[in-house]
Amino acid sequence: MAFRSKAHSALAALREDLAGEVFAPWDPGYDAARAVSGARAERRPAVIARCADAADVVRAVRFGRDLDLRIAVRGGGRGLAGTASGDGALMVDLRRMRRVAVDPVAAVVRVEGGATTGDLDRAALPYGLATPGARARATGVAGFVLGGGTGWLDRAFGPAVDHLLAVELVTAGAERVRASADERPELFWALHGGGGNFGIATALTLRLRGLPRFSLARLLYPPGLAPEVVRAFREILRTGPDELSGAVLYSSPHPVDGPLCAAVLTYAGGADGLRALAGPLRALPHIRERTGEVPYTRAQRLLDLPAGLRLHWSAECLSGLPEEAVDAFCAGAEGMPVPSRSRQLLFPQGGAVAAGPRSCPVASRDAPWIAHPCAAWADPADDARALGWVRDVRAAVRPWRTGAVCLDLIGEEGPERVRAGLGAGNMLRLEKVKRRYDPDDVFRFHHNVRPV
């Protein structure tokens, strides 16, 4: 943005009016404010508005529209593909907006747009309540829910998007609106998996579920035993109750040993029940086992990654897990960058996920399994190797893919993948909602739905 007289005047007014902070490229703190954890590409927004409340978001959007700026939204999470920022754009940063308010009597929670999964879980846990959340504490709640993401409690309760009761938004016209089943129902429908490109979500209201007990089993195996581990895990999930979930995963912490294989079982119940269900996995020769009743927040730490790493991940929804698919998934781990903090996960859906409403734009709901390679590394020289490995894992399981996409688990992979994530039959309806609330496509950075 060329800061001519109008722009200088507008920027000065924004600094004066915003309760939060404003950063321009020449300001101290600008470089720290623009950094997006996990992004491989550095982007230089024209202005960063770190908002303190919804009124600040309105002021920031008005500023951006007055200067004809594209607007990128940074919620509470990492922003995998760098889409929380944009060269020459206005970045609306919500990370100061992290308040979480639990109503234990009504069993609902209001979560501001910059809150993370960790913020939400810590607030709900003292009441014995939870809502299905992401598998890592650093994940932003708003992006996760609106993208229809997946977590450990989905089989028991359904995904988080099924628990969405209301969304408070600032539109491209700088208008504060509320969407719910009774207010702007068409917009509310679009927000059930359609993503965050219809406006800036300043707060979400979610239904909570009772979770008085939660148990976790973690077993570590020699890498060569991985196919047997996947098969045992598959059978446990096939016959187990909906309260049971988990993942089989590879990790690559050591340069000599190569990828290690682990099985994780999560259970919305007591430890004795989980030990009985885990019998086939416990019977296999394993290096280490930890099984017991834990706070739900403990499971949310399992896939945490330290800040400062470069990240790239993707996913394929699978129609099933026959023997050939098991072997193909396990073979994919051979190319994992070693050493690194990379993981290759295979996790189940089914249960309450599959039983949920078909009217929402969540195309991945019917997939019984999802393969999820996640590359996390430090050296930019390893970029090509890490991206190539993620691509190779996807290719290995491609014969069994459904064609659907879980948008919360991919970065920028092109419009066809976005279409597959939203469902081709939903696109025209979504595009009409976009035209109603963002006709100029101001919010276009992440998994965009274009107005028609």
Side-chain angles (χ1 to χ4, degrees), residues 81-321:
T83 52
S85 184
D87 290 325
L90 167 66
M91 176 199 281
V92 177
D93 185 344
L94 305 181
R95 287 178 297 164
R96 286 187 57 174
M97 299 171 57
R98 297 179 61 170
R99 288 173 286 273
V100 179
V102 176
D103 182 340
V105 176
V108 298
V109 59
R110 181 181 181 273
V111 186
E112 288 193 332
T116 65
T117 291
D119 297 328
L120 170 57
D121 292 340
R122 283 191 297 271
L125 183 65
Y127 302 102
L129 298 170
T131 200
R135 293 179 175 86
R137 291 177 296 175
T139 303
V141 173
F144 168 79
V145 173
L146 300 182
T150 72
W152 302 121
L153 293 177
D154 292 357
R155 282 173 46 84
F157 299 145
V161 72
D162 290 355
H163 295 70
L164 186 63
L165 298 176
V167 183
E168 297 164 46
L169 286 174
V170 175
T171 69
E175 178 187 6
R176 291 177 66 174
V177 302
R178 189 174 189 271
S180 68
D182 300 319
E183 303 169 86
R184 301 173 181 85
E186 191 70 359
L187 174 60
F188 190 54
W189 168 83
L191 294 169
H192 277 72
N197 287 114
F198 300 96
I200 301 178
T202 57
L204 282 68
T205 301
L206 299 164
R207 183 172 66 254
L208 293 168
R209 307 292 291 267
L211 189 67
R213 306 181 74 182
F214 184 84
S215 300
L216 177 68
R218 290 170 289 174
L219 298 96
L220 184 65
Y221 300 89
L225 204 64
E228 287 82 356
V229 173
V230 174
R231 292 181 178 101
F233 183 85
R234 177 188 62 189
E235 292 308 304
I236 289 172
L237 269 296
R238 184 181 66 83
T239 59
D242 291 349
E243 291 78 11
L244 186 68
S245 190
V248 174
L249 62 96
Y250 285 93
S251 60
S252 59
H254 304 299
V256 177
D257 298 337
L260 301 176
C261 177
V264 174
L265 285 173
T266 61
Y267 182 54
D272 290 342
L274 179 58
R275 288 189 183 95
L277 290 166
L281 282 170
R282 301 177 74 204
L284 294 173
H286 51 276
I287 300 169
R288 184 169 64 246
E289 176 190 354
R290 293 181 181 176
T291 301
E293 191 166 329
V294 299
Y296 170 58
T297 50
R298 183 77 58 84
Q300 301 297 69
R301 303 175 188 173
L302 289 179
L303 301 181
D304 281 353
L305 290 167
L309 294 176
R310 302 168 76 79
L311 302 175
H312 177 67
W313 54 65
S314 189
E316 289 291 352
C317 294
L318 307 182
S319 59
L321 204 61

